Amino acid sequence: MSEPSYTVRIVGDLADREAGFAVRREVFVGEQGVPEELEYDAFDEPGADAVHVLAVREDGRPLGTGRLLYGPAAAERTGGDPSVGSLGRLAVTGRARGLGVGVALVRAIEDVARARGLTAVDLHAQTRALGFYQRLGYEAYGPEYPEAGIAHRAMRRAL
């Protein structure tokens, strides 16, 4: 039996927002041990310079999420360049890995970035995920550094 199909959409209501938070809690807090107080931040609040995306199965079960920061919210993560967005909080549930959900989320975030007139997207990749992002056209730069106790590298892709 095959896995049900899924769609990716921009988070538009409280239910979608909470579904995305549940995915992040499962992956980052539950699986990776990130302290919950570090996982959620001001960019998760309504009105922040952020767009959240959500992948859901046809039955409504959330499979993955991610967000794009833009404007001043992204500037402190991208070296101050207002034309660069910041992809982050990308998470896919264990049961959905290998189905292309992560790729679909990244491409949806890139589409949002293009629609906002951004010319590139930066991200802070866990070093174990470098290959995933490299296959999507991202290039690592700068040294490895810890974030929430996990090794990361900065990456960028021109749009």
Side-chain angles (χ1 to χ4, degrees):
M1 185 150 107
S2 66
E3 179 72 22
S5 63
Y6 62 88
T7 59
V8 176
R9 64 181 181 241
I10 293 175
V11 168
D13 61 24
L14 185 59
D16 277 357
R17 184 171 172 250
E18 292 303 318
F21 288 173
V23 170
R24 286 168 50 185
R25 192 173 306 110
E26 176 183 330
V27 173
F28 295 127
V29 178
E31 290 179 20
Q32 298 181 2
V34 173
E36 197 156 359
E37 62 274 9
L38 293 180
E39 176 52 32
Y40 305 99
D41 59 26
F43 305 119
D44 291 324
E45 300 299 323
D49 292 339
V51 176
H52 297 256
V53 295
L54 181 69
V56 293
R57 281 186 357 178
E58 57 193 10
D59 65 3
R61 180 183 289 179
L63 300 177
T65 190
R67 75 178 183 195
L68 174 75
L69 302 181
Y70 56 90
E76 59 188 61
R77 296 170 184 254
T78 63
D81 186 341
S83 71
V84 180
S86 177
L87 184 159
R89 301 306 201 263
L90 188 76
V92 175
T93 62
R95 67 187 166 274
R97 292 180 194 140
L99 301 176
V101 174
V103 172
L105 288 164
V106 170
R107 295 307 188 216
I109 288 169
E110 292 171 348
D111 289 345
V112 170
R114 278 187 203 91
R116 292 192 168 275
L118 301 177
T119 61
V121 173
D122 264 20
L123 57 87
H124 296 181
Q126 294 182 7
T127 55
R128 64 178 162 222
L130 288 173
F132 168 77
Y133 290 112
Q134 287 169 332
R135 286 188 296 279
L136 296 178
Y138 287 80
E139 295 181 16
Y141 65 91
E144 185 176 293
Y145 57 91
E147 193 170 293
I150 300 169
H152 283 71
R153 292 248 350 249
M155 301 187 85
R156 178 173 286 187
R157 178 174 187 253
L159 299 177

